């Protein structure tokens, strides 16, 4: 720790994966530095995960685990290969994974959760990732020198998280001779899935100093690192806020390492991530065809349809909820998404194929058989609704969803924690829905399931259109 | 609310069933949002659209004239597809009402969001 020198930003990453399907855990337990293995995470543009994984296999000989959420891949390399990592062209930001927790169980109360975060700081296996980080900074110093010569060369699309940062607007910032360009570290794009606690533009004066002071710097003098913590708390179903988590974790790190906290002028960024795979997983499981009409009838703040409109922009998405606050927030999230995409891609268009409606799931104001796909998170018994309510709610939902869904070709992807209630409700609807797949997941420490259902060919006939006696609508 | 959404919406007041469609549209505030033109998207949405309802809505909003029905070979008629693209996706009703044709019940549209909630007495169940 004593020899760590100031350098440009790099991220140390603590991943709290809440889904069993996510990537492997890794910790380096080898002593000798030449054999030191490390897990590197890399962000890639969404959709390019496989391409990046192929490149990693080709150039580094490592296989990748692809995170199903938000364009990230992970791979293990020996430290000797670190230089080659910087040659990857299909990745954006690089970070070293400190530890990953699968099936991390969040405690029930806020106090307990935050206490856990505090304790976490002291328990993490920091030494090897920090070693790697230190080695990496020596690469960056060489890079900085090279980069200054190439300052005026054409726009480099890929940046390795340190030097040629291209910010969200896609415009490369101009910089004066002796300063490096601004680092934009807000690279999460979906406002509905995560809570942004900090966006920043920070001039990296630290690296600048490196250049000028290098000759005079005493290398043996211990440097106090400046750091900040960003907490990405995906999903809305948590009892704590990102700010609180960042503050408590950050406080503990500060005590442990004696680093200084600095929001704008930092050397190291610690990223605490909680990946909520609910919306992402559900969206991917429904596997929409182009030009499908996709509805989330209990959209909350609209995470699923908003992700859908971004991923599958050749489908039409409708987000609905009975709660006016939820629907308004969904509409706001849609607007901010539009604004971002407008700026980012420089396109004149600023509409997306998505709408929001306020409605009741048990009485959907939609034409019979008009919807191709229904994707939603059903209310969790313990958190949102009550278990007793679900006994009535689930069958009514399934009936109404069955009515609006296109017979034979329609499908539904439904996430729920109340699997017992759901299974019972489904058993009474076999003439409408058949079970295609069940995926077990872990959301916020709770066991849940995603049910993929196919609509049977059975059509729905309104009682008023039936001849004679009052039959059932099916 | 886009007109494609309007074309999917139907009243669910108790007893009206399929006669709750189409909802009669009245708009006091409309915004035009440019949307990227995707001809295949439009071509594939057209069979899903209830044409008469679309005609009526476009008429109410005094939009460009919509043909009485999709013309022959519309899939390759870019001019036609662009017109339909504009009507279905680029016209956003921000303020107005939707009216159930059978019961007369009014549903407000506010800030682009239609409120289709009914009281318990009004609903089917």
């Amino acid at each position: 720790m004593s020899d760590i020198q100031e350098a440009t930003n790099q991220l140390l990453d603590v991943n709290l994966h809440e889904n069993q399907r996510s990537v492997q855990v890794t910790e380096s337990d080898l002593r000798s530095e030449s054999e030191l293995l490390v897990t590197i995470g890399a962000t890639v543009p969404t959709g390019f995960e496989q391409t990046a994984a192929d490149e990693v296999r080709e150039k580094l000989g490592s296989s990748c685990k692809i995170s199903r959420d938000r364009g990230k891949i992970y791979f293990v390399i020996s430290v000797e290969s670190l230089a080659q990592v910087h040659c990857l062209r299909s990745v954006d930001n690089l970070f070293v994974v400190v530890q990953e927790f699968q099936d991390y169980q969040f405690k029930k109360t806020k106090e307990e959760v935050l206490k856990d975060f505090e304790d976490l700081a002291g328990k993490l296996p920091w030494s090897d990732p920090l070693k790697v980080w230190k080695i990496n900074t020596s690469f960056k110093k060489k890079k900085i020198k090279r980069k200054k010569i190439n300052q005026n060369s054409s726009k480099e699309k890929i940046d390795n998280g340190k030097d040629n940062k291209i910010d969200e607007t896609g415009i490369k910032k101009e910089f004066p001779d002796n300063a490096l360009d601004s680092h934009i570290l807000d690279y999460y794009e979906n406002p509905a899935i995560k809570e942004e606690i900090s966006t920043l533009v920070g001039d990296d004066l630290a690296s600048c100093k490196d250049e000028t002071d290098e000759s005079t710097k005493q290398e043996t003098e211990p440097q106090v690192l400046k750091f900040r913590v960003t907490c990405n708390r995906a999903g809305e179903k948590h009892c704590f806020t990102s700010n609180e988590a960042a503050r408590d974790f950050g406080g503990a790190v500060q005590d442990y390492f004696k680093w200084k906290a600095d929001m704008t002028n930092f050397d190291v960024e610690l990223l605490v991530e909680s990946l909520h795979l609910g919306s992402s997983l559900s969206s991917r499981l429904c596997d929409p065809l182009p030009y499908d009409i996709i509805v989330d009838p209990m959209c909350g703040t609209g995470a699923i349809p908003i992700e859908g409109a971004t991923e599958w922009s050749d489908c039409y998405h409708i987000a609905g909820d009975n709660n006016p606050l939820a629907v308004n927030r969904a509409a706001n999230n849609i607007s901010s998404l539009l604004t971002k995409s407008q700026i980012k891609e420089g396109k004149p268009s600023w509409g997306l194929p998505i709408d929001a409606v306020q409605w009741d799931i048990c009485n959907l104001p939609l034409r019979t058989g008009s919807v191709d796909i229904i994707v939603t998170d059903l209310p969790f018994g313990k958190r949102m609704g009550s278990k007793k309510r679900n006994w009535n709610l689930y069958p009514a939902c399934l009936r109404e969803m069955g009515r609006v869904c296109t017979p034979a070709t329609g499908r539904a992807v439904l996430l729920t924690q109340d699997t017992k209630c759901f299974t019972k409700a489904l058993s009474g609807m076999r003439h409408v829905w058949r079970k295609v797949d069940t995926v077990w997941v872990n959301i916020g420490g709770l066991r849940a399931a995603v049910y993929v259902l196919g609509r049977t060919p059975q059509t729905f006939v309104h009682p008023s259109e039936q001849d004679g006696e009052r039959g059932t609508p099916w | 609310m886009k007109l494609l959404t309007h074309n999917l919406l139907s009243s669910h007041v108790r007893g009206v069933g399929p006669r709750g469609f189409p909802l009669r549209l009245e708009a006091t505030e409309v915004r035009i949002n440019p949307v990227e033109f995707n001809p295949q998207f439009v071509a594939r949405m057209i069979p899903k659209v209830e044409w008469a309802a679309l005609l009526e809505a476009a008429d109410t909003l005094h939009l460009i004239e919509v043909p009485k029905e999709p013309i022959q070979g519309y899939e390759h008629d870019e001019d036609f597809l662009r017109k339909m693209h504009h009507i279905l996706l680029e016209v956003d009703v921000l303020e107005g009402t939707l009216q159930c044709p059978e019961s007369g019940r009014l549903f407000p549209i506010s800030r682009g969001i239609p409120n289709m909630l009914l009281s318990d007495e009004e609903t089917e169940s």
Side-chain angles (χ1 to χ4, degrees):
Chain A
M1 280 284 289
S2 54
D3 279 359
I4 291 176
Q5 300 167 21
E6 273 190 64
T8 47
N9 301 336
Q10 183 167 343
L11 306 172
L12 296 182
D13 182 279
V14 177
N15 272 318
L16 304 173
H17 278 260
E18 298 180 276
N19 186 290
Q20 292 157 4
R21 272 195 173 192
S22 53
V23 303
Q24 93 277 24
V25 174
T26 181
E27 273 176 290
S28 167
D29 54 0
L30 301 173
R31 303 287 161 211
S32 102
E33 207 167 275
S34 60
E35 289 172 45
L36 192 62
L37 294 179
V38 65
T39 301
I40 303 284
T43 59
V44 304
T46 316
F48 288 100
E49 293 89 348
Q50 192 54 56
T51 317
D54 292 341
E55 193 191 9
V56 168
R57 174 152 328 147
E58 187 190 307
K59 294 194 176 156
L60 300 171
S62 297
S63 60
C64 288
K65 290 291 170 84
I66 296 177
S67 165
R68 294 187 76 143
D69 204 65
R70 252 180 301 118
K72 276 192 189 148
I73 61 170
Y74 298 89
F75 50 94
V76 180
I77 53 158
S78 80
V79 171
E80 294 168 324
S81 309
L82 202 53
Q84 279 106 297
V85 173
H86 286 268
C87 298
L88 292 172
R89 300 206 61 80
S90 46
V91 300
D92 292 335
N93 298 315
L94 295 175
F95 45 91
V96 180
V97 177
V98 176
Q99 183 150 28
E100 182 181 323
F101 298 87
Q102 290 203 24
D103 297 337
Y104 185 83
Q105 305 284 343
F106 284 104
K107 299 251 171 58
K108 294 257 162 36
T109 67
K110 174 155 70 168
E111 290 70 28
E112 288 174 297
V113 172
L114 294 177
K115 181 73 174 52
D116 280 352
F117 276 132
E118 269 182 60
D119 296 339
L120 196 61
K123 289 188 212 157
L124 290 171
W126 294 104
S127 65
D128 288 338
L130 283 172
K131 261 190 225 165
V132 175
W133 187 81
K134 178 181 131 189
I135 292 168
N136 190 64
T137 63
S138 61
F139 289 132
K140 290 195 292 191
K141 290 168 84 65
K142 290 181 196 149
K143 247 196 121 164
I144 290 166
K145 285 191 179 141
R146 269 210 311 275
K147 190 206 158 254
K148 281 175 89 66
I149 296 163
N150 293 332
Q151 224 176 54
N152 297 319
S153 64
S154 59
K155 194 195 279 198
E156 185 184 336
K157 188 181 195 300
I158 314 299
D159 81 286
N160 285 305
K162 288 122 200 123
D163 306 313
N164 287 337
K165 198 71 102 183
I166 295 178
D167 64 26
E168 270 200 331
T169 71
I171 301 163
K172 192 149 175 218
K173 295 223 170 204
E174 302 279 291
F175 42 84
D177 282 8
N178 288 325
L180 288 174
D181 52 333
S182 309
H183 286 234
I184 315 295
L185 286 161
D186 171 28
Y187 51 79
Y188 301 116
E189 292 178 337
N190 193 323
I193 294 179
K194 57 107 182 93
E195 208 177 85
E196 283 176 71
I197 75 160
S198 46
T199 60
L200 81 134
V201 177
D203 282 329
D204 198 331
L205 303 173
S207 332
C208 214
K209 258 197 280 178
D210 257 341
E211 275 306 303
T212 51
D213 293 356
E214 216 178 312
S215 48
T216 58
K217 189 176 282 202
Q218 292 166 6
E219 297 222 331
T220 52
E221 187 183 284
Q223 294 285 334
V224 172
L225 283 179
K226 297 209 274 288
F227 79 103
R228 77 166 189 166
V229 178
T230 303
C231 180
N232 165 36
R233 185 210 67 171
E236 303 97 36
K237 302 179 169 103
H238 290 290
C239 56
F240 60 95
T241 68
S242 304
N243 271 314
E244 289 166 332
R247 177 198 67 206
D248 287 357
F249 184 69
V253 167
Q254 188 156 8
D255 292 337
Y256 187 73
F257 286 122
K258 312 295 177 219
W259 290 346
K260 263 188 67 175
D262 190 324
M263 284 295 289
T264 54
N265 192 19
F266 51 88
D267 308 306
V268 180
E269 179 168 29
L270 302 179
L271 196 61
V272 182
E273 274 210 320
S274 165
L275 300 178
H276 176 80
L277 293 188
S279 59
S280 208
L281 187 58
S282 300
S283 296
R284 285 174 201 281
L285 280 174
C286 74
D287 189 27
L289 295 171
Y291 327 122
D292 271 344
I293 294 179
I294 307 177
V295 170
D296 182 351
M298 288 185 274
C299 68
T301 54
I304 293 177
I306 284 169
E307 166 153 355
T310 326
E311 260 310 307
W312 297 287
S313 57
D314 52 5
C315 293
Y316 192 72
H317 304 264
I318 304 184
D321 203 283
N322 61 354
N323 183 332
L325 297 173
V327 181
N328 277 318
R329 185 136 173 234
N332 287 338
N333 287 339
I334 294 169
S335 303
S336 72
L337 180 69
L338 298 184
T339 316
K340 276 191 179 174
S341 92
Q342 178 193 6
I343 292 170
K344 184 179 180 176
E345 295 168 28
K347 279 203 259 213
S349 71
W350 49 287
L352 282 174
I354 177 170
D355 248 342
V357 182
Q358 189 176 354
W359 63 37
D360 174 12
I361 173 73
C362 299
N363 287 284
L364 290 173
L366 292 166
R367 274 198 270 135
T368 298
S370 59
V371 175
D372 294 302
I373 303 181
I374 296 176
V375 194
T376 196
D377 287 1
L378 293 167
F380 288 359
K382 292 209 167 79
R383 295 254 184 85
M384 302 287 291
S386 70
K387 282 230 147 139
K388 187 172 172 196
R389 255 182 47 197
N390 285 350
W391 283 115
N392 297 323
L393 182 67
Y394 280 22
C397 285
L398 282 173
R399 268 198 301 274
E400 191 65 347
M401 291 193 288
R403 178 185 70 79
V404 305
C405 205
T406 317
T409 55
R411 45 217 189 282
V413 179
L414 310 171
L415 170 70
T416 179
Q417 186 252 330
D418 199 345
T419 54
K420 189 165 153 203
C421 183
F422 184 85
T423 311
K424 177 145 200 304
L426 190 61
S427 65
M429 299 287 298
R430 279 195 237 277
H431 49 293
V432 181
W433 293 110
R434 61 189 163 80
K435 209 192 291 191
V436 170
D437 198 4
T438 309
V439 179
W440 294 96
V441 297
N442 191 305
I443 305 287
L446 298 169
R447 199 155 135 86
V450 180
Y451 294 95
V452 183
L453 308 177
R455 182 69 175 78
T456 65
Q458 178 104 47
T459 50
F460 173 92
V461 182
H462 192 263
S464 67
E465 293 193 316
Q466 291 171 8
D467 322 313
E469 88 261 11
R470 262 178 74 81
T472 59
W474 302 98
Chain B
M1 181 199 71
K2 300 176 174 55
L3 288 191
L4 180 50
T5 302
H6 166 259
N7 204 266
L8 297 165
L9 290 176
S10 174
S11 164
H12 52 293
V13 169
R14 193 207 317 264
V16 302
R19 295 182 311 280
F21 179 88
L23 294 161
R24 236 166 258 140
L25 171 64
E26 278 218 3
T28 51
E29 194 185 329
V30 172
R31 182 176 63 196
I32 307 292
N33 292 337
V35 174
E36 199 174 357
F37 176 56
N38 181 341
Q40 293 97 338
F41 177 90
V42 183
R44 294 288 289 275
M45 283 298 159
I46 284 171
K48 305 192 196 203
V49 162
E50 288 288 335
W51 206 258
L54 185 64
L55 271 183
E56 202 184 308
D59 200 48
T60 311
L61 299 181
H62 308 295
L63 297 178
I64 55 179
E65 205 168 294
V66 180
K68 292 279 177 289
E69 57 190 35
I71 61 184
Q72 268 285 338
Y74 67 83
E75 299 94 331
H76 311 291
D77 186 335
E78 190 181 310
D79 210 45
F80 173 79
L81 292 176
R82 278 195 185 270
K83 272 199 193 127
M84 299 318 302
H85 163 82
H86 175 75
I87 291 172
L88 287 168
L89 298 177
E90 294 188 327
V91 180
D92 205 355
V93 179
L94 295 178
E95 305 285 330
T97 56
L98 296 167
Q99 184 174 38
C100 172
E102 179 81 355
S103 69
R105 201 334 181 142
L106 286 169
F107 300 97
I109 304 172
S110 151
R111 294 173 58 207
I113 304 171
N115 182 350
M116 309 298 297
L117 291 178
L118 292 171
S119 66
D120 286 336
E121 301 88 52
E122 292 173 295
T123 58
E124 295 271 0
S125 55

